[in-house]
Amino acid sequence: MSQSIGIPSVDLNDFLSGDPQRKNAFVQALGKAYEDIGFVALKNHRLSDELSAALYREVKAFFKLPTDIKAQYEIEGIAGQRGYTGFGKEHAKGRNTGDLKEFWHFGQYVEDGDAIAKEYPENIEVAELPDFNRIGKEAYQTLEATGRDMLRALALYLGLEETYFDAHIHNGNSILRPIHYPPITEEPQDAVRAAEHEDINLITLLMGASADGLQVLNKAGEWIPVTALPGQIVVNVGDMLQRHSNNKLRSTTHRVVNPPREKWAESRFSIPFFLHPRSEMPLDCLPECIDAEHPKQYEDITAGGYLDERLREIGLKS
């Protein structure tokens, strides 16, 4: 198992190989990494270099649009769940200062007549960029398929049926979030590009960012810089999975720090895919993760109830 600056690296081809030994080695390596630090770098993740480059091209073109054009895609009343969210509107839980970023949300594409479609806002079409939505959808569905494989491996690690998560994430409330951290033009006081936080969802799949800045907090209390090597994406545990596994799998605190002053003029772009389940999924602590040494740590709650609570805490819902 190789390292990607402080985080273990795993190869999805091992899990999909059909070889029971390679598959089990992947499951054990992934589970151990998620118990230790909560992050891995993933090779052979289905997202081609061409698709990744095309999405970054479209995303950069969108964020270059005039502010008044972008603002037309900010939709009232949906807690930022689709379309554009303007600069500084989101903050980390427990902070009031807005993060130095603006972002876009692509959401689920329900294409099989599932009644859950009524729960979701429509995706927003960007008129100025004819390929933006098509490429966003392709990346969304590619990362969703990769996330399904990662959860299958984790189900095995937790002693569950391999397909345990499949029905819970089918047409789940997942979000693909292209983020733009604009150039820093004045002393930020206490604002940072993204303050220390944990992700809300089950797992997050992060396409390589365009500049350094991502750091994770390890067990020793040290901030470790994370940069996926070329051809890798970073995949981390979110709070929903930590809760469901009764803290067996770790949702690690991470942040995006401001660059050194000589790099203030550079934008940073990043595209995480937040894999969420359907809102009715129970996040109750799994019996497989409870024993005398690990008593139940959390009250029962659904994924929808938990998400609602957290969106209020980070300022996207009032």
Side-chain angles (χ1 to χ4, degrees):
M1 198 162 72
S2 61
Q3 296 279 351
S4 172
I5 314 197
I7 65 168
S9 173
V10 292
D11 186 339
L12 188 59
N13 279 353
D14 289 340
F15 184 69
L16 302 174
S17 64
D19 175 338
Q21 270 186 305
R22 283 178 67 190
K23 182 174 183 175
N24 185 56
F26 178 91
V27 168
Q28 297 309 315
L30 182 65
K32 183 178 185 318
Y34 282 168
E35 285 196 34
D36 289 347
I37 195 164
F39 274 72
V40 294
L42 182 69
K43 291 184 272 204
N44 293 312
H45 42 67
R46 289 196 180 84
L47 191 75
S48 69
D49 290 346
E50 294 73 24
L51 179 54
S52 183
L55 183 57
Y56 267 106
R57 191 172 59 243
E58 293 299 316
V59 162
K60 289 175 180 179
F62 173 79
F63 287 118
K64 273 189 184 149
L65 291 171
T67 304
D68 58 332
I69 300 278
K70 288 186 289 190
Q72 292 171 16
Y73 295 109
E74 190 153 13
I75 312 300
E76 286 296 312
I78 59 169
Q81 291 303 286
R82 299 290 183 275
Y84 176 68
T85 295
F87 182 78
K89 296 211 173 162
E90 184 182 74
H91 58 79
K93 178 181 170 182
R95 289 175 70 113
N96 293 318
T97 310
D99 289 341
L100 305 177
K101 67 187 182 197
E102 56 181 343
F103 54 88
W104 179 272
H105 277 171
F106 296 100
Q108 185 58 262
Y109 301 86
V110 180
E111 298 176 315
D112 59 359
D114 191 333
I116 202 167
K118 296 197 294 290
E119 288 186 26
Y120 300 143
E122 290 287 319
N123 276 298
I124 311 296
E125 296 283 325
V126 176
E128 291 77 7
L129 299 168
D131 292 330
F132 180 82
N133 291 86
R134 176 183 62 78
I135 290 168
K137 178 180 179 181
E138 189 181 344
Y140 182 107
Q141 293 181 330
T142 302
L143 289 165
E144 187 175 37
T146 298
R148 185 183 307 116
D149 287 328
M150 297 293 277
L151 287 173
R152 285 177 178 172
L154 290 173
L156 292 171
Y157 188 74
L158 295 172
L160 305 166
E161 283 290 323
E162 181 172 338
T163 55
Y164 167 81
F165 286 102
D166 284 23
H168 291 309
I169 64 169
H170 174 68
N171 290 330
N173 194 19
S174 299
I175 292 285
L176 181 65
R177 174 190 275 196
I179 306 170
H180 175 221
Y181 303 93
I184 296 170
T185 53
E186 58 186 52
E187 195 66 51
Q189 306 304 332
D190 67 338
V192 292
R193 284 184 155 173
E196 60 279 0
H197 65 283
E198 300 79 43
D199 292 342
I200 300 170
N201 41 291
L202 291 170
I203 56 173
T204 300
L205 295 87
L206 177 69
M207 297 168 59
S210 67
D212 294 342
L214 177 64
Q215 299 179 339
V216 302
L217 192 63
N218 70 10
K219 277 184 173 169
E222 304 159 328
W223 286 103
I224 306 279
V226 175
T227 306
L229 301 169
Q232 298 186 350
I233 63 173
V234 172
V235 188
N236 64 278
V237 174
D239 285 351
M240 287 184 181
L241 189 56
Q242 174 174 272
R243 189 181 185 112
H244 200 37
S245 69
N246 198 37
N247 291 343
K248 184 175 175 73
L249 305 178
R250 297 185 62 213
S251 175
T252 307
T253 303
H254 53 286
R255 66 186 183 183
V256 179
V257 294
N258 297 333
R261 186 178 281 267
E262 64 271 17
K263 294 190 174 177
W264 277 12
E266 297 173 17
S267 279
R268 181 181 192 272
F269 296 89
S270 162
I271 309 179
F273 178 76
F274 299 118
L275 197 153
H276 282 264
R278 301 166 72 95
S279 59
E280 73 267 17
M281 179 184 180
L283 293 180
D284 313 359
C285 298
L286 289 160
E288 291 82 358
C289 299
I290 300 171
D291 57 31
E293 285 177 38
H294 305 94
K296 182 177 173 182
Q297 296 293 311
Y298 300 101
E299 294 296 311
D300 295 350
I301 195 169
T302 63
Y306 185 65
L307 177 61
D308 199 57
E309 199 177 276
R310 290 292 299 272
L311 289 175
R312 293 176 200 283
E313 288 172 347
I314 62 173
L316 287 182
K317 203 166 188 177
S318 52

